[in-house]
Amino acid sequence: MSAAERILDALFEITAADGPMSAAEIATALGVPLSTAYRHIAVLKKYDLVVDLGRDAGYAPGIGCWRVGQGFDGGRFLAALAEPEMRVLADATRESVGLMRAVAGDVCCVEMIESPMSLRCSFVKGSAQPLRAGASAKSLLAFMAPGQRAAVLKAGPGRADDTRLAEELAAIRERGYAESESEVDFGVWGVSAPIFSAPGHLECSLSLMVPIIRVGDRREEYIAATVASAENITKLLETSGYTRKGNGQ
């Protein structure tokens, strides 16, 4: 078996695992020395196909896997299903609307509808940023499975306010949406609500992004509209058989 085939085998093992894998586990699965496993991992990391979660948390599929698999894993189906409701929200608010998904330790933009206003906020489709700050990231963190959330937070930079973050995420779950102001980009207000493909099965989040100067007394309206649109997309997903087709996260 060639080195390229071994590297692909390593990738298949990591993507098929129920959770992060250690280098030793990868070596055992492939039947190769640990040093060889590390060489395979280094190649996969170079192309963002694998991410090192750090702090001995192991290795997990990277953002490159998501980008490669966008057209095959149901991502396009998800975007196509959500797009009409996203347009309803964008037309009602005249602001930018994004469909955001958690991939490894990042929040990634699956679909984006830009505001028609000259001054607008946006998130480039296919781009990613750390799953830490902002309404989109916190909505995903708050509603993802506890084990997945713990792994993401463990792999992130050390925080002195972990207790405060845990309390904030609990409050987000209680009210059903996340809200932020200037957490990622200065002057940007955002609200993000979760979308589920089955009860308790987080798929992605719907986010509305607005320049702070235009929020004013429309804040409650923006929140209600975003939550309602997210709930409508959830209903579509739950009745579409999306999870049964194997497309759930």
Side-chain angles (χ1 to χ4, degrees):
M1 185 178 289
S2 69
E5 289 172 317
R6 286 290 190 188
I7 292 170
L8 287 175
D9 277 348
L11 179 61
F12 292 150
E13 290 291 342
I14 294 168
T15 55
D18 291 333
M21 294 182 71
S22 68
E25 289 172 332
I26 295 169
T28 299
L30 297 178
V32 300
L34 184 60
S35 58
T36 300
Y38 274 119
R39 286 198 295 273
H40 295 342
I41 291 167
V43 174
L44 295 172
K45 287 174 61 179
K46 178 180 178 181
Y47 293 97
D48 293 326
L49 293 170
V50 165
V51 60
D52 182 353
L53 297 179
R55 302 188 187 181
D56 298 321
Y59 300 91
I63 187 65
C65 286
W66 180 77
R67 288 174 177 150
V68 169
Q70 256 188 303
F72 306 96
D73 69 353
R76 288 182 181 174
F77 174 80
L78 175 61
L81 195 72
E83 192 266 349
E85 187 64 37
M86 291 175 68
R87 290 209 174 274
V88 169
L89 179 60
D91 289 346
T93 62
R94 293 181 60 79
E95 301 294 352
S96 297
V97 178
L99 194 65
M100 320 301 283
R101 209 175 192 184
V103 180
D106 294 320
V107 53
C108 304
C109 182
V110 176
E111 189 58 85
M112 188 76 203
I113 296 179
E114 300 275 1
S115 166
M117 309 291 279
S118 56
L119 175 62
R120 59 181 179 266
C121 311
S122 66
F123 200 116
V124 178
K125 182 178 176 179
S127 63
Q129 65 184 33
L131 193 57
R132 277 291 183 172
S136 298
K138 289 180 178 177
S139 173
L140 291 166
L141 280 171
F143 292 96
M144 66 174 51
Q148 183 184 5
R149 179 168 58 250
V152 170
L153 295 179
K154 180 180 180 182
R159 299 177 62 107
D161 57 346
D162 279 342
T163 299
R164 181 178 177 182
L165 176 62
E167 292 174 349
E168 184 178 1
L169 296 179
I172 290 169
R173 286 191 293 275
E174 178 68 23
R175 66 175 177 260
Y177 64 87
E179 182 181 4
S180 67
E181 182 175 317
S182 296
E183 285 192 15
V184 178
D185 294 310
F186 181 77
V188 176
W189 177 89
V191 58
S192 186
I195 294 170
F196 301 91
S197 55
H201 194 289
L202 178 70
E203 195 61 46
C204 53
S205 281
L206 183 68
S207 299
L208 182 71
M209 291 156 268
V210 186
I212 291 174
I213 60 171
R214 281 209 300 270
V215 177
D217 58 6
R218 297 190 69 185
R219 174 179 166 273
E220 293 297 332
E221 173 194 343
Y222 288 154
I223 292 172
T226 302
V227 170
S229 287
E231 290 176 347
N232 287 340
I233 297 171
T234 288
K235 292 174 184 176
L236 287 172
L237 280 176
E238 289 180 343
T239 58
S240 70
Y242 182 80
T243 302
R244 291 193 298 277
K245 294 171 185 175
N247 295 314
Q249 280 181 256

